[in-house]
Every structure is written in structure tokens, then in C-alpha cells.
Amino acid sequence: MTRPTRPQSAPAEAATSATPVLELRGIRKSFGSNVVLDGIDLAVQAGEVVVLVGPSGCGKSTLLRCAIGLEQIDGGEVLLDGSVVSGAQRDQQARTRMGMVFQSYDLFPNMTVLDNVTLAPTLVRNADKAQAEERARALLARVGLAEKADAWPNTLSGGQQQRVAICRALAMDPEVLLLDEVTAALDPEMVHEVLQVVLELADEGLTMLIVTHEMSFARAIADRVVMLDGGVVVEEGGPDFFEHPQTERARAFLRTFEFHRVGR
Amino acid sequence: MGAEFLFQGATIQRLLAGLGVTLRISLISVALSVPLGVVMGVLFTRKNRVLRAVLRVYLDFIRVMPQLVLLFLVFFGSASSLGLNFSGEVASIIVFTAWGAAELGDLVRAALEAIPQSQYDGAFALGLTSKQTFARVILPQALRSLLPPSVNLVTRIIKTTSLCMLIGVVEVVRVGQQIIDFNRFDYPMGALWTYATLALLYFVICWPLSLLSRWLEKRSSR
């Protein structure tokens, strides 16, 4: 899995000038006495793909859920294009500017694939039904599921369902797409078809914040890698994070993906 | 054969009129139970503890009481202690509505709670309001799993209305008894034929409902 360098991808330079699409400032979140996020700062520039890695339970998913407002944050703020959207009651308008795809796809089983994709545009954006359907079919065609438009979600494989879930999120034209371990629930042979779609989206310049355990995928897609552990950012770097981790914790984490036979 | 009396005079018409009373009590009770039960079920899933406790006590009270006791309670109890004189039919509708709403409320609660949190999360992430989420995502799914047991509940209500004759309602079983009493001396086997006819009438009404419930169940597990 390789990805050609994109012409617009110069995030390191852009970071200093442009306002980030998504910015998290000092995000704190606890569940009871368990501090999951202890002051996270993170900015995602337009067109940038940021990959969050870290050991299980380090708060990566929680951070995404806080960013989109599924979890109330205990401290800090979430900014979209420079304006704060993390008030006690985030308005519907701000919510629709971010998209999220979940580990367990969570398509709505009571409607067809096409209706899953057109639901939010027609309901939230009052889009014309025919136009929304046309758009949905185009999105489905792009992920190779044109012929599945009228199928029911439970007749699709996990990989197909996840690709529909991606279309469903894209139908709202999110400024930033959050992907939460989108392949963790998939059989190995389906992982590739989903990640290929995500990779293509990255090449088209979609801004994404991705949580994944697929290290080779992370290496292929990341403009920037952020490692979380113990509720804080441990290390942040370019794709060379994987070859040259700076901190001992990052090195220890990356070693857990390698296999060594004893006595060789 | 000894069953000729069934086709003499107005016997059949009287039985059908009795069946009409049975169905009227059942259907009015069901029609009233549906909105009440849905509201109750939705309230049940709220986090308010007092509300839940009140509903739980109500549901358990209705459940542990034999329907006959509830009928006596409403028909005689309200007359003697509250001075309200309900007709037998009104008392019956009150009892079966209270019962149907409680049972349906519990079914609605179970159906709503069976929907995973991730469905709410998915709708939230798409920007749907909580009202839109409930109307377009949650409720249709809940209805699907709710329909088969609800149809069964209707069958149970129809059958149980036979108790209403004990507070003087002339429904189909009571009519049957009148017919038996009327023909007791001329047709010694009259009771058997009459009860067989009653069984057939109940079967004709309830069997299609049972089939419908099974069909819905098969469909919802698709």
C-alpha cells in the first residue's frame, strides 16, 4: 500500500499560517476517577491526514468522540475553522460539519443502503430527494457498491457495510472525517478493500483524523502521526515516526507489532 | 344430531351480536392501549427514577392481579367507594385498557432498550436531532421487534374478555350460555354444540392473528 505524494500536501509549512480545520485545545475527559484524556492539544490542517496511534485504552477513540460531541468534555475546547463548537449544547449546524465512521459500521438496519446514505442530507440539509439519491449513487459507485444501492444492510459483508458507512458520512460533505478503528471489526480479507477507499479519499484531499491499529496502513496514509499514551500526547511526527521513533514509549509501542523468535 | 337449534330462530344472529360485543370491548381497549402504552414505554426509558418507580409499581400491580379481580374492583369497587356507576362494558374497557397499556408499555420499553447505543451515536454523528433520530431510526426498528408480541397481546385481550360476563356484560360466551339454558330440555347435547360453536368463533378470530404474529416474527428476524 503506497500513496503518491500529493501536490497540496505541505502540512508542515501550512501549519504555521492557516487556521486548522479542526483544533483540539487542552481536552480533558474522565470517566469517574479514571482520567482518560489529560489535556490533549491537536490541530488538523485542511487536506491533512493525521493518524492517532497508541496502546489499547489510551483514549484515542474517546478523543474522537469528544471531538464530534458524542462525549461531554471536562475541560478544553474544540474549534472548527477557528470558532469554538464545544459548548454545553453543540448546535446541529456544527455537528454536521464533521463526519464520523465507527468500528461497528452501525448502518441503520431499517432502511436500504441508498436510504442510509440519503437520510442525513434530506433530513438535516433539506436536500432535494432526487439530487440526494443521485449523489448517493455516485458515492456508492466510487466505493464499488453501485449495484448494492437497493440492498438491505444486513445482506452485505462487513467490508461492504463499512464502505457504505463511509459514503453515508461523505454525503454530508464533512470538513473533517473522523475514522474510529474502521477495520477493527472486519475479517482480514475485508480490511484491504476498506482501507483502499480511505487511501483514495486521502489522495483526493479529504481532511481526516484516523484512529487505527493497522500500522502499515498508518504508515501509508499519514501526513502526521500522533501517539497517545496515559491521556497525553507522547510523540508527534511525520510518517518517519515508524522508522525513527523519538521516545522510548513510542519505541516500546512499535515493538509490540514485531515478532521475534526466541533463540534466533 | 341435536344441533338443529343452532339454525333455528335468531340463534346465530344472537351469537354474532355477542361476538360483536366481545370485539367492541377488545378493539376499543386495544385502540386506547396503543397510544397509552407507547407513551408509557417511552417514559420507561427515561432516566427519571421516580417516574420509573411509579411505572414499575403500576405495571407490577396490573400484572399480579387476576383480570377478574380487576374487573370486580372497577365494576363494584368504584360503585361502592367512589359512587361511580360504570356499565359493565365501560368497566371492562377500563380494565382491559389499563392492562393492555401496561403490557404494551413493557413491550415498548424492551424494544427501545434493545436498540444499541451505537445507533443513536451514528445518527448523532450525521447531525440528526434527537427527534429525527427517534422518528426515523429508533422507532421504526423498535416497531419491527414490537409488532409480533403486540399482536399476541391483542389475541390475549380478545380471549380474556370472556371474563366480562361475570360483571353482567352480554358478550359471546354469555350469549352461548343463554342459548344453552333456553334449549336445555329440548336438546340435551345443546351445551356441547354451543361451546363447540363458541370455540369455532374464537378460533376464526384469533387464529389469523396468531398467523399474522408468526409471519411478522419471521419478517422481523430477516
Side-chain angles (χ1 to χ4, degrees), chain A residues 5-51:
Chain A
T5 38
R6 286 174 288 133
Q8 79 272 33
S9 109
E13 293 87 321
T16 47
S17 56
T19 311
V21 174
L22 173 67
E23 188 176 358
L24 307 175
R25 280 188 194 155
I27 302 290
R28 285 189 294 105
K29 175 72 186 174
S30 310
F31 293 107
S33 60
N34 178 24
V35 179
V36 181
L37 302 174
D38 195 12
I40 304 273
D41 294 306
L42 182 70
V44 185
Q45 303 293 335
E48 191 183 24
V49 177
V50 176
V51 174

Coordinates of all heavy atoms in Angstrom, one line a residue, chain A residues 5-51:
Chain A
T5 N 2.9 11.2 -3.2 CA 2.8 12.4 -2.5 C 1.9 13.4 -3.3 O 2.0 13.5 -4.5 CB 4.2 13.1 -2.5 OG1 4.9 12.8 -3.7 CG2 5.0 12.5 -1.3
R6 N 1.0 14.0 -2.5 CA 0.0 14.8 -3.1 C 0.6 16.2 -3.3 O 1.4 16.7 -2.5 CB -1.2 14.9 -2.2 CG -2.0 13.7 -2.2 CD -3.2 13.7 -1.2 NE -2.7 13.6 0.1 CZ -3.0 14.4 1.1 NH1 -3.8 15.4 0.9 NH2 -2.6 14.2 2.3
P7 N 0.2 16.9 -4.4 CA 0.8 18.3 -4.6 C 0.5 19.2 -3.5 O 1.3 20.0 -3.1 CB 0.1 18.7 -5.9 CG -1.1 17.8 -6.1 CD -0.7 16.5 -5.4
Q8 N -0.7 19.1 -2.9 CA -1.1 20.1 -1.9 C -0.6 19.8 -0.5 O -0.8 20.5 0.4 CB -2.6 20.3 -1.8 CG -3.4 19.2 -1.1 CD -3.8 18.1 -2.0 OE1 -3.0 17.7 -2.9 NE2 -4.9 17.4 -1.7
S9 N 0.1 18.6 -0.4 CA 0.4 18.2 0.9 C 1.8 18.8 1.3 O 2.8 18.3 1.1 CB 0.5 16.6 1.0 OG 1.8 16.2 1.1
A10 N 1.6 19.9 2.0 CA 2.8 20.5 2.6 C 2.4 21.0 4.0 O 2.5 22.2 4.3 CB 3.3 21.7 1.8
P11 N 1.8 20.1 4.8 CA 1.2 20.5 6.0 C 2.2 21.1 7.0 O 1.8 22.0 7.8 CB 0.7 19.1 6.6 CG 1.5 18.1 5.9 CD 1.8 18.6 4.6
A12 N 3.4 20.7 7.0 CA 4.4 21.3 7.9 C 4.5 22.8 7.8 O 4.5 23.5 8.8 CB 5.7 20.6 7.7
E13 N 4.6 23.2 6.5 CA 4.7 24.7 6.3 C 3.3 25.4 6.5 O 3.3 26.4 7.1 CB 5.1 25.0 4.9 CG 6.5 24.5 4.5 CD 6.6 23.1 4.1 OE1 5.9 22.2 4.6 OE2 7.4 22.8 3.2
A14 N 2.2 24.7 6.1 CA 0.9 25.3 6.2 C 0.5 25.5 7.6 O -0.2 26.4 8.0 CB -0.1 24.4 5.5
A15 N 1.0 24.6 8.5 CA 0.6 24.6 9.9 C 0.8 26.0 10.5 O 0.0 26.3 11.4 CB 1.3 23.5 10.6
T16 N 1.8 26.6 10.1 CA 2.1 27.9 10.8 C 1.2 29.0 10.4 O 0.9 29.9 11.2 CB 3.6 28.3 10.5 OG1 3.8 28.2 9.1 CG2 4.6 27.4 11.3
S17 N 0.7 28.9 9.1 CA 0.0 30.1 8.6 C -1.6 29.9 8.7 O -2.2 30.7 9.4 CB 0.3 30.3 7.2 OG 0.1 29.1 6.4
A18 N -2.1 28.8 8.1 CA -3.5 28.7 8.0 C -4.2 28.3 9.3 O -3.6 27.7 10.2 CB -3.9 27.6 7.0
T19 N -5.5 28.6 9.5 CA -6.3 28.2 10.6 C -6.6 26.7 10.4 O -7.0 26.3 9.3 CB -7.6 29.0 10.7 OG1 -7.3 30.3 10.5 CG2 -8.3 28.7 12.0
P20 N -6.3 25.9 11.4 CA -6.7 24.5 11.3 C -8.2 24.2 11.1 O -9.0 25.0 11.6 CB -6.2 23.8 12.6 CG -5.7 24.9 13.4 CD -5.8 26.2 12.7
V21 N -8.5 23.2 10.3 CA -9.9 22.8 10.2 C -10.5 22.4 11.5 O -11.5 22.9 12.0 CB -10.1 21.7 9.1 CG1 -11.5 21.2 9.1 CG2 -9.6 22.1 7.8
L22 N -9.7 21.5 12.1 CA -10.1 21.0 13.5 C -9.0 21.3 14.4 O -7.9 21.0 14.2 CB -10.5 19.5 13.4 CG -10.7 18.8 14.7 CD1 -12.0 19.3 15.3 CD2 -10.8 17.3 14.5
E23 N -9.4 21.9 15.5 CA -8.3 22.1 16.6 C -8.9 21.7 17.9 O -10.0 22.1 18.3 CB -7.9 23.6 16.6 CG -6.7 23.8 17.5 CD -6.2 25.2 17.5 OE1 -6.7 26.0 16.8 OE2 -5.2 25.5 18.3
L24 N -8.1 20.9 18.6 CA -8.5 20.5 20.0 C -7.5 21.1 20.9 O -6.3 21.1 20.7 CB -8.4 18.9 20.1 CG -9.1 18.1 19.1 CD1 -8.9 16.6 19.3 CD2 -10.6 18.4 19.2
R25 N -8.0 21.8 21.9 CA -7.2 22.6 22.9 C -7.4 22.0 24.3 O -8.5 22.2 24.8 CB -7.5 24.0 22.8 CG -6.9 24.8 21.7 CD -7.1 26.3 21.8 NE -6.9 27.0 20.6 CZ -7.4 28.1 20.3 NH1 -8.3 28.7 21.1 NH2 -7.2 28.7 19.2
G26 N -6.3 21.5 24.8 CA -6.4 21.1 26.3 C -7.5 20.2 26.6 O -8.2 20.4 27.7
I27 N -7.9 19.2 25.8 CA -9.1 18.4 26.0 C -8.8 17.5 27.2 O -7.8 16.8 27.3 CB -9.4 17.5 24.8 CG1 -9.7 18.3 23.6 CG2 -10.6 16.6 25.1 CD1 -10.9 19.1 23.6
R28 N -9.7 17.6 28.2 CA -9.7 16.7 29.3 C -11.0 15.9 29.5 O -12.0 16.5 29.3 CB -9.4 17.5 30.6 CG -7.9 17.9 30.7 CD -7.5 18.5 32.1 NE -8.2 19.8 32.3 CZ -9.3 19.9 33.1 NH1 -9.7 18.8 33.8 NH2 -9.9 21.0 33.3
K29 N -10.8 14.6 29.8 CA -12.0 13.8 30.0 C -11.7 12.7 31.0 O -10.7 12.0 30.9 CB -12.4 13.2 28.6 CG -13.6 12.2 28.7 CD -14.9 12.9 28.9 CE -16.0 11.9 29.1 NZ -17.3 12.6 29.5
S30 N -12.6 12.5 32.0 CA -12.5 11.5 32.9 C -13.8 10.7 33.0 O -14.9 11.2 32.8 CB -12.2 12.0 34.3 OG -11.2 12.9 34.3
F31 N -13.7 9.4 33.2 CA -14.8 8.6 33.5 C -14.7 8.2 35.0 O -13.9 7.3 35.3 CB -14.9 7.3 32.6 CG -15.1 7.7 31.2 CD1 -14.1 7.5 30.2 CD2 -16.4 8.1 30.7 CE1 -14.3 7.9 28.9 CE2 -16.6 8.4 29.4 CZ -15.6 8.3 28.5
G32 N -15.5 8.8 35.8 CA -15.3 8.6 37.3 C -14.0 9.1 37.7 O -13.6 10.2 37.4
S33 N -13.2 8.2 38.3 CA -11.9 8.7 38.8 C -10.8 8.4 37.8 O -9.6 8.6 38.0 CB -11.5 8.0 40.1 OG -11.5 6.6 39.9
N34 N -11.2 7.7 36.6 CA -10.3 7.3 35.6 C -10.1 8.4 34.6 O -10.9 8.8 33.8 CB -10.8 6.1 34.9 CG -9.9 5.6 33.8 OD1 -8.7 5.9 33.8 ND2 -10.5 4.9 32.9
V35 N -8.9 9.1 34.7 CA -8.6 10.2 33.7 C -8.2 9.6 32.4 O -7.1 8.9 32.3 CB -7.5 11.1 34.3 CG1 -7.2 12.2 33.3 CG2 -7.9 11.6 35.6
V36 N -9.0 9.8 31.4 CA -8.7 9.2 30.1 C -7.9 10.2 29.2 O -6.9 9.8 28.5 CB -10.0 8.8 29.4 CG1 -9.7 8.1 28.0 CG2 -10.8 7.8 30.2
L37 N -8.3 11.4 29.2 CA -7.6 12.4 28.4 C -7.2 13.5 29.4 O -8.0 14.1 30.1 CB -8.5 13.0 27.3 CG -9.1 12.0 26.3 CD1 -10.1 12.7 25.4 CD2 -7.9 11.4 25.5
D38 N -5.9 13.8 29.4 CA -5.4 14.8 30.4 C -4.7 16.0 29.7 O -3.5 16.2 29.8 CB -4.4 14.0 31.3 CG -4.1 14.8 32.6 OD1 -4.8 15.8 32.8 OD2 -3.2 14.4 33.3
G39 N -5.5 16.7 28.9 CA -5.0 17.9 28.3 C -4.4 17.6 26.9 O -3.2 17.6 26.8
I40 N -5.2 17.3 25.9 CA -4.7 17.0 24.6 C -4.8 18.2 23.7 O -5.9 18.8 23.6 CB -5.5 15.8 24.0 CG1 -5.6 14.6 24.9 CG2 -5.0 15.5 22.6 CD1 -4.4 13.6 24.7
D41 N -3.7 18.5 23.1 CA -3.7 19.6 22.0 C -3.4 18.9 20.7 O -2.5 18.1 20.6 CB -2.6 20.6 22.3 CG -2.9 21.4 23.6 OD1 -4.0 22.0 23.7 OD2 -2.0 21.4 24.5
L42 N -4.3 19.2 19.7 CA -4.1 18.6 18.4 C -4.8 19.5 17.4 O -5.9 20.0 17.6 CB -4.8 17.2 18.4 CG -4.7 16.4 17.2 CD1 -3.2 15.9 17.0 CD2 -5.6 15.2 17.3
A43 N -4.0 19.7 16.3 CA -4.6 20.5 15.2 C -4.5 19.7 13.9 O -3.5 19.1 13.6 CB -3.9 21.8 15.1
V44 N -5.6 19.8 13.1 CA -5.6 19.1 11.8 C -5.8 20.2 10.7 O -6.9 20.9 10.8 CB -6.7 18.0 11.7 CG1 -6.7 17.3 10.4 CG2 -6.6 17.1 12.9
Q45 N -4.9 20.3 9.8 CA -4.9 21.3 8.8 C -5.8 20.8 7.6 O -6.0 19.6 7.5 CB -3.5 21.6 8.2 CG -2.6 22.1 9.3 CD -3.0 23.5 9.9 OE1 -3.7 24.3 9.2 NE2 -2.6 23.7 11.1
A46 N -6.3 21.7 6.8 CA -7.1 21.3 5.6 C -6.3 20.4 4.7 O -5.1 20.7 4.4 CB -7.5 22.6 4.8
G47 N -6.9 19.3 4.3 CA -6.2 18.4 3.4 C -5.2 17.4 4.1 O -4.6 16.6 3.5
E48 N -5.1 17.6 5.4 CA -4.1 16.8 6.1 C -4.7 15.5 6.7 O -5.9 15.5 7.0 CB -3.6 17.6 7.3 CG -2.3 17.0 8.0 CD -1.9 17.8 9.2 OE1 -2.7 18.5 9.8 OE2 -0.7 17.7 9.5
V49 N -3.9 14.4 6.7 CA -4.4 13.2 7.3 C -3.5 12.9 8.6 O -2.3 12.7 8.5 CB -4.2 12.0 6.3 CG1 -4.6 10.7 7.0 CG2 -5.1 12.2 5.1
V50 N -4.2 13.0 9.7 CA -3.5 12.8 11.0 C -3.9 11.4 11.5 O -5.1 11.1 11.6 CB -3.8 13.9 12.0 CG1 -3.2 13.6 13.3 CG2 -3.4 15.2 11.5
V51 N -2.9 10.6 11.9 CA -3.2 9.3 12.4 C -2.9 9.2 13.9 O -1.8 9.6 14.3 CB -2.4 8.2 11.6 CG1 -2.7 6.8 12.3 CG2 -2.9 8.1 10.2

